[in-house]
Amino acid sequence: MNGQDAVAPVPRVAVVVFLLKGRSVLLGLRRSSVGNSTFALPGGHLEFGESFEECAIREVKEETGLEITKTEFIMVTNNVFLDEPKPSHYVTISMRAELADPEEEPKNMEPNKCDGWDWYEWGNLPKPLFGPLDKLVNEGFNPFST
Ligand code: 8DG
Ligand code: MG
């Protein structure tokens, strides 16, 4: 048992970003112990002292190289992953944003965590979607109309 396993698991806070362009959102195919090989939003862990907006801006920059603007809170969801190779629990803050430069294209900045980023029309999303995102879509959530 290493030091990490000895600590009782706790919920963590994640910030994810619906980056909107026309009628499309930016998704990447995950390489991770949670939701491997599923399409997910850019995002990651809230760092100590950060605002949700700051975290959204930082994560999108770190993962895609893109600069975002009009970053705003949409909602919070509770996501428990007990059946994953590494069980985890996230309180996920969903944000919405737009490209600072509408012409800028994403770069795959963390190829060990993602197979690549692309734009997908909201009405024609790829499969499989990452569980928390899939749940929202099935509930009829639409990031363009909230
Ligand atoms: P970091 O260490 O760079 O901060 O984090 P990361 O490696 O980029 O974390 P992540 O797994 O991409 O995101 C953290 C958690 O956020 C993830 O394990 C579960 C939760 N999460 C959702 N929905 C989504 C989503 O659509 N995309 C991403 N990336 N994470 C999501 O609940
Ligand atoms: Mg991430």
Side-chain angles (χ1 to χ4, degrees):
M1 187 182 264
N2 64 31
Q4 226 176 359
D5 293 333
V7 177
V10 292
R12 300 186 71 187
V13 180
V15 173
V16 300
V17 182
F18 288 85
L19 182 50
L20 309 182
K21 178 179 173 175
R23 294 303 296 170
S24 299
V25 295
L26 189 72
L27 299 176
L29 193 66
R30 279 173 77 77
R31 289 292 162 228
S32 168
S33 58
V34 180
N36 192 44
S37 291
T38 62
F39 290 90
L41 303 163
H45 300 91
L46 184 70
E47 291 185 356
F48 189 82
E50 251 180 351
S51 70
F52 299 157
E53 289 79 8
E54 287 166 344
C55 182
I57 291 166
R58 177 182 56 73
E59 284 289 346
V60 171
K61 184 78 186 171
E62 281 177 6
E63 296 186 347
T64 73
L66 294 170
E67 292 208 11
I68 58 174
T69 184
K70 298 188 187 168
T71 309
E72 59 183 23
F73 173 84
I74 309 181
M75 67 182 156
V76 56
T77 54
N78 191 39
N79 298 295
V80 179
F81 309 92
L82 293 184
D83 299 330
E84 295 283 334
K86 190 178 161 205
S88 58
H89 178 179
Y90 284 94
V91 174
T92 305
I93 312 295
S94 288
M95 307 291 286
R96 170 175 44 210
E98 294 176 22
L99 286 169
D101 170 4
E103 304 298 315
E104 202 181 355
E105 287 298 335
K107 294 191 230 18
N108 193 12
M109 307 291 280
E110 297 179 335
N112 57 324
K113 288 188 181 180
C114 176
D115 274 3
W117 299 101
D118 217 333
W119 302 102
Y120 296 90
E121 276 195 40
W122 187 253
N124 189 22
L125 294 173
K127 287 192 177 82
L129 292 175
F130 186 29
L133 181 59
D134 196 46
K135 187 162 179 279
L136 289 181
V137 171
N138 288 330
E139 288 167 358
F141 168 76
N142 185 333
F144 294 88
S145 62
T146 51

